[in-house]
Amino acid sequence: MTVKELYETAKKNKVENYDIKLQYQDGGGTYNGTCEMEDFSIDDDKEEITLY
């Protein structure tokens, strides 16, 4: 998902001012619990943004 796609989805659902949280998951599935996203880093070479 791109930042643009996330933002367009947020606008469509009128949630663009909501906080972002991460659902814990790995190759084995999704687990109980979330954590808030408080910062991010940008990698221009890979054209990626990492939330943490």
Side-chain angles (χ1 to χ4, degrees):
M1 173 179 282
T2 66
V3 173
K4 183 177 181 178
E5 290 169 331
L6 177 61
Y7 184 66
E8 292 298 323
T9 299
K11 285 190 334 185
K12 179 180 173 184
N13 291 286
K14 297 181 171 98
V15 297
E16 61 265 47
N17 291 314
Y18 284 26
D19 289 333
I20 296 174
K21 292 191 177 188
L22 177 66
Q23 177 76 43
Y24 298 118
Q25 58 186 340
D26 64 13
T30 303
Y31 304 94
N32 289 332
T34 60
C35 63
E36 290 192 32
M37 300 291 91
E38 297 178 358
D39 206 351
F40 60 91
S41 63
I42 299 171
D43 185 330
D44 288 322
D45 293 332
K46 294 182 180 180
E47 296 184 353
E48 293 179 343
I49 296 174
T50 302
L51 303 172
Y52 55 91

